[in-house]
Amino acid sequence: MIGIELVPTASAPAQPTAPTCPSEPASGSVVPPSGTMIRDPHSTLEVRLTETAGRARAAVHGEIDLGTAPLLQRVLGETLRGAHGGLDVDLDGVDFLDCSGLNVLLRLREEAEETGVPLHVTRMSRAVLRVL
């Protein structure tokens, strides 16, 4: 079971902490309103979601590895499905990326191509560039 903590930014209302498991079907959206940060309390992974004119932006910080990849896959996948104007993924704050994180990005790209939703990786840290 993966736990997530939804941390509101100054402009977003508070959301409850919700335990989730990526193997269970989603009963509702895990992705909070724009302007909220999703934090994995068991690691350094944080995803800050914002939206401008129908285009979503996900700024990812921390480590993306086998333990955090399922949460990141779920958050980015649901964000992509809800962002008809496209999704920009900022990976400049990523300190570590392994092959499970690379697989998250490849699956996200595949889903974006299948649905016709524009997907862009806007910035990458040295850790991400090393793997790519």
Side-chain angles (χ1 to χ4, degrees):
M1 174 134 342
I2 296 174
I4 64 171
E5 179 181 2
L6 306 179
V7 180
T9 57
S11 63
Q15 298 286 327
T17 298
T20 62
C21 180
S23 62
E24 296 173 0
S27 59
S29 177
V30 168
V31 180
S34 176
T36 300
M37 181 172 34
I38 298 173
R39 181 181 300 153
D40 180 354
H42 306 293
S43 72
T44 62
L45 182 68
E46 296 179 354
V47 183
R48 183 177 305 269
L49 299 173
T50 55
E51 182 182 355
T52 305
R55 187 164 185 90
R57 180 176 182 272
V60 182
H61 296 271
E63 297 182 357
I64 305 172
D65 57 19
L66 186 61
T68 60
L71 174 61
L72 185 63
Q73 177 71 47
R74 187 165 180 181
V75 169
L76 292 180
E78 288 189 20
T79 302
L80 179 73
R81 287 187 287 278
H84 303 292
L87 173 61
D88 297 325
V89 180
D90 180 345
L91 300 174
D92 192 45
V94 174
D95 302 324
F96 178 81
L97 177 77
D98 68 5
C99 61
S100 56
L102 181 59
N103 283 327
V104 168
L105 296 175
L106 292 172
R107 281 189 221 104
L108 191 65
R109 182 185 71 172
E110 184 178 318
E111 185 174 346
E113 289 175 352
E114 288 173 0
T115 60
V117 176
L119 172 68
H120 298 223
V121 175
T122 58
R123 300 186 322 162
M124 291 176 270
S125 67
R126 294 181 76 138
V128 173
L129 287 171
R130 224 180 350 251
V131 172
L132 296 179

